[in-house]
Amino acid sequence: MKYRIEIDKRAIKFISKQPKPQRERILKAIYQLPDAGDIKAMRGNEGYFRLRVGDYRIIYTVNDNVLIVRVIEVGNRGDIYK
């Protein structure tokens, strides 16, 4: 099953500001969702997951009914959870 990836504006803005190697690495990880990577369910936020890509974290949700992965936010490890 192929999931459609939707990326929110805040996430796109963060990704576009990154140097090209990091930007490509983050986007490659996003387009492998929801199956691959260092993924964990977030505690306290049911239905939200985080994907670790080096020092970056990608927060996303998965809607299995309509096969959509929605990337909510992307950021540095220390800043993303605030």
Side-chain angles (χ1 to χ4, degrees):
M1 292 188 293
K2 185 78 172 162
Y3 282 76
R4 189 173 83 215
I5 307 291
E6 294 180 353
I7 304 174
D8 287 358
K9 280 187 178 183
R10 285 177 55 177
I12 291 172
K13 187 175 180 180
F14 179 86
I15 293 168
S16 66
K17 290 181 180 181
Q18 301 307 306
K20 188 174 181 179
Q22 282 86 346
R23 186 171 52 234
E24 289 175 350
R25 188 170 157 202
I26 291 168
L27 288 172
K28 181 179 175 186
I30 287 173
Y31 284 102
Q32 291 179 355
L33 289 174
D35 301 324
D38 183 1
I39 298 169
K40 287 189 180 178
M42 293 183 66
R43 290 189 287 184
N45 295 325
E46 190 171 325
Y48 286 80
F49 300 90
R50 74 101 176 114
L51 169 65
R52 183 177 69 87
V53 180
D55 288 338
Y56 299 102
R57 300 297 182 268
I58 300 164
I59 308 298
Y60 69 97
T61 61
V62 177
N63 186 336
D64 291 318
N65 296 330
V66 288
L67 300 178
I68 293 178
V69 172
R70 183 167 174 238
V71 176
I72 309 281
E73 193 162 358
V74 178
N76 292 318
R77 181 184 64 124
D79 301 330
I80 194 80
Y81 299 115
K82 295 180 182 176

